[in-house]
Amino acid sequence: MPPLDAGALRTYLRLLAYARPHWPMFLLGVLGMVLFAAVDTGFAVLVKMFLDGAFVERDPRMLLYVPAGIIVLFLVRGVGDYLSVYAPGWVGRQVIKSIRHDLFERYLQLPVTFFDRNGVAQLLSRLTYNIELVAEAATNAITFIIRDTLTVIGLLAYLLYLNWKLTLFALAVAPVIVGLIRLTSRLFRRYSMRIQASMGDVTRVAKESLESQRVIKVFNAEARQLDAFEAVNEHNRASYMKLITVKAVSNPVVQMIAALGLAAVMYVAIRDVLGAGLTVGEFTSFLAALLLVTAPLRRLVGMVGPLQQGIAAGQSVFEVLDQAVEDRGGDVPLARARGEIEYRGVSFTYDRDKGPVLSDISFTVAPGETVAIVGRSGSGKSTLVSLLPRFHDPDTGAVLIDGIDIRRYRLRELRNQLALVSQDVVLVDDTIRNNIAFSTPGADAAAVQHAAQAAHVLEFSDELPEGLETPVGERGTLLSGGQRQRVAIARAILKDAPIVILDEATSALDAESGHLVQTALGELLRERTTLVIAHRLSTVERADRILVMDEGRIVESGTHAALLAAGGVYAALHRMQFSV
Ligand SMILES: Nc1ncnc2c1ncn2[C@@H]1O[C@H](COP(=O)(O)OP(=O)(O)O)[C@@H](O)[C@H]1O
Ligand SMILES: [Mg+2]
């Protein structure tokens, strides 16, 4: 197919592969189109029968045949009509569903670094908007392209047979038309990509604004957000208009070029007729066939748009599908870790330009020990603990659990050893119970009840009419900050992992819920290896050991009392907190 370069063709074939399993339905759609078209021919036959039978032969049976014929023909036409809409629609929705499934599954498997580089809104808009554009290209376009290409080839063969010299004349414009189709294809794809990117921007601004509507209200930032939205909305419109312009211009231009070809042919043909080289009959049938070519040709040009939009969308999806998934780890099994953690000479850099975030970190945590990590914000505490679940891997050095480099464990089993409670508690829009059982789907009711009790969740859920069956709302908005934290702690207790990571788990709490969360945490941390990152030094005072971080290095370590006595960075941090 000339308007597709190799890459686009590959994308297109990959899209078609999604439709292939549904070929019987696809054929049914083609059958529907054939039936529909056949009825039109049937009508011509019926009219002839009627004229001949009723007027010429005065056949009384026509009284029955013609009305019955009309009903039968329309019945067949109706079935054809139904199939030609239903079947391609069915295939299209199946294709969209499968691609959407694959894309979502890939999103779940991609490494953390991918999400550092790609905005969530763009990824969302690929899942919702871009994918919708694929259906047309994978279903209708292919039907029309096959049908109309065959029609054009057939008619050309017939023309060649009728008069090859004239046909070659007419074909002189073909390269120009092909060139034009190529150009429109390229433009279509370019503008489609722009439109898709701008849909991502629309999604981004809308998502930010809807999620932060409280902040927007209190800062009276409505006008600012509206301006931001207007900009992306306008860009979306302008990109669309470019696409529409190409669509609007391409048809008349193709027609015009075809007309030039026709004019040339007419010139030659009439000269031949005048010179008696061509009979009127030959000329008329040639002209008729030539005019017949224009309709399928116009439809072919019309399919360029949806086809290219589908390909551009397909590319944006396949780009994600081709990203490497998270490393699944080695093959060392890990049923239940004892819980010894060691960081051995670990360095890590996010961004070469900004220098290392962790430099030569070494420390060991014994099973059951609680180690607190403190330091100014931006000193690398969260990055440090994010190496344990392998959100990132160290550039040099290694992180070990029970004496073995964690990269050698199977990733799933490694993560089974860890419970993480962080400041942003991810809650799904479901009941409190299902949020607690989030990571342990098979948990029985008694275990959930116990976890809920230990984490002081029952204290508030018992006062709700539906108890643990109360929905928490999207991102848990129906609960208070302290309640959300306690649900997250219950989830961690239920998971019963030997290693617990708390990343500022209590920093957003007021004193009272802070106290409840503290006692809940006491339950969670008993007999588990724990890394605690905390803002409030009061929550780390009870730790077995405290590591003080500064600019990606461990600058001090020891117990609360020892560090205070040493009068270094920790003592300074402590003084600062108690002076406010
Ligand atoms: N995903 C990321 N990509 C790039 N830089 C990051 C990322 N996360 C954190 N950083 C940078 O790494 C440094 C340490 O961040 P972080 O570990 O979150 O510190 P802390 O938890 O101590 O406040 C900061 O300078 C921060 O800007
Ligand atoms: Mg942090």
Side-chain angles (χ1 to χ4, degrees):
M1 214 175 301
L4 292 185
D5 57 64
L9 187 63
R10 222 173 312 118
T11 306
Y12 191 53
L13 291 178
R14 210 166 151 188
L15 281 182
L16 286 187
Y18 278 92
R20 194 161 50 217
H22 310 298
W23 64 268
M25 198 59 153
F26 188 78
L27 278 188
L28 216 55
V30 174
L31 178 71
M33 288 178 205
V34 171
L35 280 184
F36 192 81
V39 169
D40 289 339
T41 325
F43 249 107
V45 175
L46 193 72
V47 168
K48 182 176 180 310
M49 259 175 73
F50 171 67
L51 291 178
D52 290 354
F55 288 104
V56 182
E57 291 163 27
R58 302 200 171 267
D59 186 342
R61 285 174 307 174
M62 285 302 132
L63 199 59
L64 187 64
Y65 283 4
V66 172
I70 290 176
I71 293 172
V72 169
L73 280 180
F74 267 89
L75 210 63
V76 174
R77 199 177 139 113
V79 171
D81 201 358
Y82 167 77
L83 286 179
S84 66
V85 173
Y86 183 87
W90 189 90
V91 175
R93 296 328 294 184
Q94 290 286 345
V95 168
I96 288 181
K97 184 180 165 223
S98 326
I99 297 184
R100 195 169 264 156
H101 170 275
D102 287 0
L103 186 63
F104 182 72
E105 190 177 37
R106 184 54 56 136
Y107 281 165
L108 291 180
Q109 295 168 341
L110 287 169
V112 168
T113 45
F114 176 83
F115 296 94
D116 287 346
R117 281 184 277 110
N118 293 275
V120 170
Q122 283 285 353
L123 299 178
L124 269 183
S125 134
R126 282 184 205 194
L127 196 64
T128 53
Y129 174 74
N130 293 19
I131 282 182
E132 289 290 332
L133 298 176
V134 160
E136 184 78 7
T139 56
N140 279 339
I142 181 78
T143 326
F144 288 130
I145 287 168
I146 291 175
R147 191 187 67 187
D148 291 331
T149 309
L150 289 180
T151 315
V152 169
I153 290 175
L155 285 172
L156 277 183
Y158 181 57
L159 283 170
L160 280 170
Y161 162 77
L162 280 181
N163 190 322
W164 62 269
K165 257 199 260 171
L166 278 183
T167 309
L168 290 185
F169 251 101
L171 281 180
V173 295
V176 185
I177 293 189
V178 169
L180 201 74
I181 293 180
R182 265 179 204 247
L183 178 69
T184 35
S185 297
R186 220 177 26 243
L187 292 177
F188 261 116
R189 194 126 41 93
R190 181 184 306 160
Y191 298 141
S192 300
M193 283 176 181
R194 257 186 231 171
I195 291 171
Q196 288 169 23
S198 74
M199 272 315 283
D201 289 335
V202 169
T203 313
R204 177 176 53 75
V205 178
K207 182 172 170 291
E208 287 166 357
S209 308
L210 295 176
E211 282 178 355
S212 326
Q213 37 104 5
R214 286 168 187 235
V215 181
I216 291 171
K217 282 186 167 61
V218 81
F219 283 99
N220 283 324
E222 290 90 349
R224 188 207 167 273
Q225 288 307 99
L226 196 57
D227 284 349
F229 192 77
E230 172 61 23
V232 293
N233 203 12
E234 167 59 20
H235 184 234
N236 182 257
R237 187 202 63 83
S239 309
Y240 248 116
M241 274 324 291
K242 289 199 172 127
L243 195 85
I244 291 170
T245 308
V246 175
K247 199 183 281 183
V249 166
S250 68
N251 233 336
V253 170
V254 168
Q255 300 261 4
M256 195 57 228
I257 292 169
L260 287 179
L262 189 64
V265 169
M266 291 302 266
Y267 175 80
V268 178
I270 292 170
R271 204 186 53 188
D272 281 3
V273 172
L274 292 179
L278 199 63
T279 70
V280 177
E282 280 171 341
F283 177 64
T284 322
S285 56
F286 184 85
L287 192 63
L290 194 62
L291 288 175
L292 279 181
V293 181
T294 54
L297 200 62
R298 202 176 58 219
R299 276 198 301 269
L300 276 179
V301 176
M303 276 331 288
V304 167
L307 186 69
Q308 296 298 340
Q309 272 179 305
I311 288 174
Q315 273 170 345
S316 76
V317 170
F318 294 142
E319 197 181 285
V320 176
L321 291 185
D322 291 339
Q323 294 283 330
V325 295
E326 263 185 320
D327 173 24
R328 288 172 206 281
D331 52 8
V332 177
L334 183 59
R336 188 170 180 88
R338 283 184 297 117
E340 185 199 74
I341 300 170
E342 183 185 352
Y343 278 63
R344 192 180 281 170
V346 170
S347 297
F348 178 76
T349 308
Y350 284 111
D351 185 346
R352 257 174 234 294
D353 301 334
K354 291 195 204 149
V357 172
L358 298 176
S359 312
D360 197 25
I361 300 274
S362 294
F363 63 91
T364 312
V365 187
E369 197 184 5
T370 296
V371 168
I373 302 167
V374 301
R376 286 182 306 191
S377 83
S379 57
K381 306 180 295 293
S382 296
T383 305
L384 180 77
V385 295
S386 77
L387 302 184
L388 262 184
R390 293 193 63 198
F391 293 158
H392 301 101
D393 282 330
D395 299 333
T396 59
V399 180
L400 299 86
I401 288 181
D402 293 357
I404 295 179
D405 188 332
I406 56 174
R407 283 171 286 204
R408 292 180 55 205
Y409 292 122
R410 298 187 188 119
L411 187 67
R412 285 190 67 88
E413 294 183 5
L414 168 71
R415 288 183 180 165
N416 269 340
Q417 314 303 316
L418 307 169
L420 172 73
V421 183
S422 60
Q423 195 173 358
D424 54 344
V425 194
V426 183
L427 292 184
V428 288
D429 189 0
D430 204 335
T431 60
I432 296 177
R433 175 188 302 283
N434 289 338
N435 268 289
I436 293 176
F438 183 66
S439 68
T440 334
D444 59 36
V448 174
Q449 189 78 15
H450 170 260
Q453 188 196 350
H456 298 270
V457 168
L458 291 186
E459 275 162 34
F460 68 88
S461 71
D462 280 349
E463 288 175 7
L464 298 166
E466 291 169 90
L468 287 178
E469 309 307 329
T470 310
V472 302
E474 200 175 329
R475 289 182 300 137
T477 41
L478 303 181
L479 303 180
S480 78
Q483 292 170 339
R484 278 201 290 273
Q485 284 299 357
R486 283 182 268 166
V487 171
I489 291 167
R491 179 189 293 162
I493 291 176
L494 185 64
K495 187 174 179 185
D496 188 28
I499 298 171
V500 178
I501 302 167
L502 305 177
D503 189 350
E504 317 231 341
T506 57
S507 53
L509 304 180
D510 53 72
E512 196 208 311
S513 50
H515 173 71
L516 280 176
V517 170
Q518 284 302 340
T519 47
L521 280 175
E523 178 68 26
L524 170 63
L525 305 186
R526 193 178 303 151
E527 292 167 21
R528 293 175 217 268
T529 309
T530 311
L531 292 177
V532 195
I533 299 175
H535 241 53
R536 290 193 200 163
L537 297 184
S538 61
T539 63
V540 307
E541 281 170 17
R542 274 164 291 170
D544 297 312
R545 194 151 39 104
I546 299 168
L547 306 177
V548 184
M549 288 195 68
D550 195 33
E551 298 194 349
R553 294 177 185 277
I554 296 179
V555 290
E556 284 174 18
S557 90
T559 62
H560 173 68
L563 287 175
L564 272 192
V569 180
Y570 183 79
L573 279 172
H574 194 262
R575 259 200 315 279
M576 234 152 58
Q577 253 190 21
F578 285 94
S579 64
V580 282

Coordinates of all heavy atoms in Angstrom, one line a residue, residues 221-272:
A221 N -8.0 30.2 42.8 CA -7.2 30.0 41.6 C -8.1 29.5 40.5 O -7.5 29.0 39.5 CB -6.1 29.0 41.9
E222 N -9.4 29.7 40.5 CA -10.3 29.3 39.4 C -9.9 29.9 38.1 O -9.8 29.2 37.1 CB -11.7 29.6 39.7 CG -12.3 28.8 40.8 CD -12.2 29.4 42.2 OE1 -11.4 30.4 42.3 OE2 -12.8 29.0 43.2
A223 N -9.6 31.2 38.1 CA -9.3 31.9 36.9 C -8.0 31.4 36.3 O -7.9 31.1 35.1 CB -9.2 33.4 37.1
R224 N -7.0 31.1 37.2 CA -5.7 30.6 36.7 C -5.9 29.2 36.0 O -5.4 29.0 34.9 CB -4.8 30.5 37.9 CG -3.4 30.1 37.5 CD -2.6 29.4 38.5 NE -1.4 28.8 37.9 CZ -1.3 27.6 37.4 NH1 -2.4 26.9 37.3 NH2 -0.2 27.2 36.8
Q225 N -6.7 28.4 36.7 CA -6.9 27.0 36.1 C -7.7 27.1 34.8 O -7.4 26.3 33.9 CB -7.6 26.1 37.1 CG -6.8 25.7 38.3 CD -5.4 25.1 37.9 OE1 -4.4 25.7 37.9 NE2 -5.5 23.8 37.5
L226 N -8.6 28.0 34.8 CA -9.5 28.2 33.6 C -8.6 28.6 32.4 O -8.7 28.1 31.3 CB -10.6 29.2 33.9 CG -11.7 29.1 32.8 CD1 -12.3 27.8 32.8 CD2 -12.8 30.2 33.2
D227 N -7.7 29.5 32.7 CA -6.7 30.0 31.7 C -5.9 28.8 31.2 O -5.7 28.6 30.0 CB -5.8 31.1 32.2 CG -6.5 32.4 32.3 OD1 -7.6 32.5 31.8 OD2 -6.0 33.3 32.9
A228 N -5.4 28.0 32.1 CA -4.6 26.9 31.7 C -5.4 25.9 30.9 O -4.9 25.4 29.9 CB -4.0 26.2 33.0
F229 N -6.6 25.7 31.3 CA -7.5 24.8 30.5 C -7.8 25.4 29.2 O -7.8 24.7 28.2 CB -8.8 24.6 31.3 CG -9.6 23.4 30.7 CD1 -9.2 22.1 31.0 CD2 -10.7 23.6 29.9 CE1 -9.9 21.0 30.4 CE2 -11.4 22.6 29.4 CZ -11.0 21.3 29.6
E230 N -8.1 26.7 29.1 CA -8.4 27.3 27.8 C -7.2 27.1 26.9 O -7.4 26.8 25.7 CB -8.6 28.8 28.1 CG -8.8 29.7 26.8 CD -9.9 29.3 25.9 OE1 -10.9 28.6 26.4 OE2 -9.9 29.5 24.7
A231 N -6.0 27.2 27.4 CA -4.8 27.1 26.5 C -4.8 25.7 25.9 O -4.6 25.6 24.6 CB -3.5 27.4 27.3
V232 N -4.9 24.7 26.7 CA -4.8 23.3 26.1 C -6.0 23.0 25.3 O -6.0 22.3 24.3 CB -4.6 22.2 27.2 CG1 -3.2 22.4 27.9 CG2 -5.7 22.3 28.3
N233 N -7.2 23.5 25.7 CA -8.4 23.3 24.9 C -8.3 23.9 23.6 O -8.7 23.3 22.5 CB -9.6 23.9 25.7 CG -10.9 23.3 25.4 OD1 -10.9 22.2 24.7 ND2 -12.0 23.9 25.8
E234 N -7.8 25.1 23.5 CA -7.6 25.8 22.3 C -6.6 25.1 21.4 O -6.8 25.0 20.2 CB -7.2 27.3 22.5 CG -6.7 28.0 21.3 CD -7.7 28.1 20.2 OE1 -8.9 28.0 20.5 OE2 -7.3 28.4 19.0
H235 N -5.5 24.6 22.0 CA -4.5 23.9 21.2 C -5.1 22.6 20.6 O -4.9 22.3 19.4 CB -3.3 23.5 22.1 CG -2.2 22.9 21.4 ND1 -1.7 21.7 21.7 CD2 -1.6 23.2 20.2 CE1 -0.8 21.3 20.9 NE2 -0.7 22.2 20.0
N236 N -6.0 22.0 21.4 CA -6.7 20.8 20.9 C -7.6 21.2 19.7 O -7.6 20.5 18.6 CB -7.5 20.2 22.0 CG -8.2 19.0 21.6 OD1 -9.4 19.0 21.3 ND2 -7.5 17.9 21.5
R237 N -8.3 22.3 19.8 CA -9.2 22.7 18.7 C -8.4 23.0 17.5 O -8.7 22.6 16.3 CB -10.0 23.9 19.1 CG -11.0 24.3 18.1 CD -11.4 25.8 18.3 NE -10.3 26.7 18.1 CZ -9.9 27.1 16.9 NH1 -10.6 26.7 15.8 NH2 -8.9 27.9 16.7
A238 N -7.3 23.8 17.7 CA -6.5 24.2 16.5 C -5.9 23.0 15.8 O -5.8 22.9 14.6 CB -5.4 25.1 17.0
S239 N -5.4 22.0 16.6 CA -4.8 20.8 16.0 C -5.9 20.1 15.2 O -5.7 19.6 14.1 CB -4.3 19.9 17.0 OG -3.4 20.5 17.9
Y240 N -7.1 20.0 15.7 CA -8.2 19.3 15.0 C -8.5 20.1 13.7 O -8.8 19.4 12.7 CB -9.4 19.3 15.9 CG -9.8 17.9 16.4 CD1 -9.8 17.5 17.7 CD2 -10.1 16.9 15.4 CE1 -10.0 16.2 18.1 CE2 -10.4 15.6 15.8 CZ -10.4 15.3 17.1 OH -10.7 14.0 17.5
M241 N -8.5 21.4 13.8 CA -8.8 22.2 12.6 C -7.8 21.9 11.5 O -8.2 21.9 10.3 CB -8.9 23.7 12.9 CG -10.2 24.2 13.4 SD -11.7 23.3 12.7 CE -11.6 23.9 11.0
K242 N -6.6 21.7 11.8 CA -5.6 21.4 10.8 C -6.0 20.0 10.1 O -5.9 19.9 8.9 CB -4.2 21.3 11.4 CG -3.7 22.6 11.8 CD -2.2 22.6 12.0 CE -1.7 24.0 12.2 NZ -0.9 24.2 13.4
L243 N -6.4 19.1 10.9 CA -6.8 17.8 10.4 C -8.0 18.0 9.5 O -8.1 17.4 8.4 CB -7.1 16.9 11.6 CG -7.2 15.4 11.2 CD1 -5.9 14.8 11.3 CD2 -8.1 14.7 12.2
I244 N -8.9 18.7 10.0 CA -10.2 18.9 9.2 C -9.8 19.6 7.9 O -10.4 19.3 6.8 CB -11.2 19.7 10.0 CG1 -11.7 18.8 11.2 CG2 -12.4 20.2 9.2 CD1 -12.5 19.6 12.2
T245 N -8.9 20.6 7.9 CA -8.5 21.3 6.7 C -7.9 20.3 5.7 O -8.3 20.3 4.5 CB -7.5 22.4 7.0 OG1 -8.0 23.2 8.1 CG2 -7.2 23.3 5.8
V246 N -7.0 19.5 6.2 CA -6.5 18.5 5.2 C -7.6 17.6 4.6 O -7.6 17.4 3.4 CB -5.4 17.6 6.0 CG1 -4.9 16.5 5.0 CG2 -4.3 18.4 6.5
K247 N -8.5 17.2 5.5 CA -9.6 16.4 5.0 C -10.4 17.1 4.0 O -10.8 16.6 2.9 CB -10.5 16.0 6.2 CG -11.3 14.8 6.0 CD -12.2 14.5 7.1 CE -11.5 13.8 8.2 NZ -12.4 13.4 9.4
A248 N -10.7 18.4 4.3 CA -11.6 19.2 3.4 C -10.9 19.4 2.1 O -11.5 19.5 1.0 CB -12.0 20.5 4.1
V249 N -9.6 19.7 2.1 CA -8.9 20.0 0.9 C -8.6 18.8 0.0 O -8.6 18.9 -1.2 CB -7.5 20.7 1.2 CG1 -6.6 20.8 0.0 CG2 -7.8 22.1 1.8
S250 N -8.3 17.7 0.7 CA -7.8 16.5 -0.1 C -8.8 16.1 -1.2 O -8.4 15.8 -2.3 CB -7.4 15.4 0.8 OG -8.5 14.9 1.4
N251 N -10.0 16.0 -0.8 CA -11.0 15.5 -1.8 C -11.1 16.3 -3.0 O -10.9 15.8 -4.1 CB -12.4 15.4 -1.1 CG -12.9 14.0 -1.2 OD1 -12.6 13.3 -2.2 ND2 -13.8 13.6 -0.3
P252 N -11.4 17.6 -2.9 CA -11.5 18.4 -4.2 C -10.2 18.3 -5.0 O -10.3 18.3 -6.2 CB -11.7 19.8 -3.6 CG -12.2 19.7 -2.3 CD -11.7 18.4 -1.7
V253 N -9.1 18.3 -4.3 CA -7.8 18.3 -5.1 C -7.7 17.0 -5.9 O -7.3 17.0 -7.1 CB -6.6 18.5 -4.1 CG1 -5.3 18.2 -4.9 CG2 -6.6 19.9 -3.5
V254 N -8.0 15.9 -5.2 CA -8.0 14.6 -5.9 C -8.9 14.6 -7.1 O -8.6 14.2 -8.2 CB -8.3 13.4 -5.0 CG1 -8.6 12.2 -5.7 CG2 -7.2 13.2 -4.0
Q255 N -10.1 15.2 -6.9 CA -11.1 15.3 -8.0 C -10.6 16.1 -9.1 O -10.8 15.8 -10.3 CB -12.4 15.9 -7.4 CG -13.0 15.2 -6.3 CD -14.1 14.3 -6.7 OE1 -14.4 14.2 -7.9 NE2 -14.8 13.6 -5.8
M256 N -9.9 17.2 -8.7 CA -9.4 18.1 -9.7 C -8.4 17.4 -10.6 O -8.4 17.5 -11.8 CB -8.8 19.3 -9.0 CG -8.5 20.5 -9.9 SD -10.0 21.1 -10.7 CE -9.4 21.2 -12.4
I257 N -7.5 16.7 -9.9 CA -6.5 16.0 -10.7 C -7.1 14.9 -11.6 O -6.7 14.7 -12.8 CB -5.4 15.3 -9.7 CG1 -4.7 16.4 -9.0 CG2 -4.5 14.4 -10.4 CD1 -3.8 16.0 -7.9
A258 N -8.1 14.2 -11.0 CA -8.8 13.2 -11.8 C -9.4 13.9 -13.0 O -9.4 13.3 -14.1 CB -9.8 12.5 -11.0
A259 N -10.0 15.1 -12.8 CA -10.6 15.8 -13.9 C -9.6 16.1 -15.0 O -9.9 16.0 -16.2 CB -11.3 17.0 -13.4
L260 N -8.4 16.5 -14.6 CA -7.3 16.8 -15.6 C -7.1 15.6 -16.4 O -6.9 15.6 -17.6 CB -6.1 17.2 -14.8 CG -6.1 18.6 -14.2 CD1 -4.8 18.9 -13.5 CD2 -6.4 19.7 -15.3
G261 N -7.0 14.4 -15.7 CA -6.8 13.1 -16.4 C -7.9 12.9 -17.4 O -7.7 12.5 -18.6
L262 N -9.1 13.1 -17.0 CA -10.3 12.9 -17.8 C -10.2 13.8 -19.0 O -10.5 13.4 -20.2 CB -11.5 13.2 -17.0 CG -12.9 12.8 -17.6 CD1 -12.9 11.3 -17.8 CD2 -14.0 13.2 -16.8
A263 N -9.9 15.1 -18.8 CA -9.8 16.0 -19.9 C -8.8 15.6 -20.9 O -9.1 15.6 -22.1 CB -9.4 17.4 -19.3
A264 N -7.6 15.1 -20.4 CA -6.6 14.6 -21.4 C -7.1 13.4 -22.2 O -6.9 13.4 -23.4 CB -5.4 14.2 -20.6
V265 N -7.8 12.5 -21.5 CA -8.4 11.4 -22.2 C -9.4 11.8 -23.2 O -9.4 11.3 -24.3 CB -9.0 10.4 -21.2 CG1 -9.8 9.3 -21.9 CG2 -7.9 9.7 -20.3
M266 N -10.2 12.7 -22.8 CA -11.3 13.2 -23.7 C -10.6 13.8 -25.0 O -11.1 13.5 -26.1 CB -12.1 14.2 -23.0 CG -13.0 13.7 -21.9 SD -14.1 12.4 -22.5 CE -15.5 13.4 -22.9
Y267 N -9.6 14.5 -24.7 CA -8.9 15.2 -25.9 C -8.5 14.1 -26.9 O -8.8 14.2 -28.1 CB -7.7 16.0 -25.4 CG -6.9 16.6 -26.5 CD1 -7.3 17.8 -27.1 CD2 -5.7 16.0 -26.9 CE1 -6.6 18.3 -28.1 CE2 -5.0 16.6 -27.9 CZ -5.4 17.7 -28.5 OH -4.7 18.2 -29.5
V268 N -7.8 13.1 -26.4 CA -7.2 12.1 -27.2 C -8.4 11.3 -27.9 O -8.4 11.0 -29.1 CB -6.3 11.1 -26.4 CG1 -5.8 10.0 -27.3 CG2 -5.2 11.9 -25.8
A269 N -9.4 11.0 -27.0 CA -10.5 10.2 -27.5 C -11.3 10.9 -28.6 O -11.6 10.3 -29.7 CB -11.4 9.8 -26.4
I270 N -11.6 12.1 -28.4 CA -12.4 12.9 -29.4 C -11.6 13.0 -30.7 O -12.2 12.9 -31.8 CB -12.8 14.2 -28.8 CG1 -13.8 14.0 -27.7 CG2 -13.5 15.1 -29.9 CD1 -14.2 15.2 -26.9
R271 N -10.3 13.2 -30.5 CA -9.5 13.3 -31.7 C -9.6 12.0 -32.5 O -9.7 12.0 -33.7 CB -8.0 13.6 -31.3 CG -7.2 14.3 -32.4 CD -5.8 14.4 -32.0 NE -5.3 13.1 -31.6 CZ -4.1 12.9 -31.1 NH1 -3.3 13.9 -30.8 NH2 -3.7 11.7 -30.7
D272 N -9.5 10.9 -31.7 CA -9.6 9.6 -32.4 C -11.0 9.4 -33.0 O -11.1 8.8 -34.1 CB -9.3 8.4 -31.4 CG -7.8 8.3 -31.2 OD1 -7.1 9.1 -31.8 OD2 -7.5 7.4 -30.4

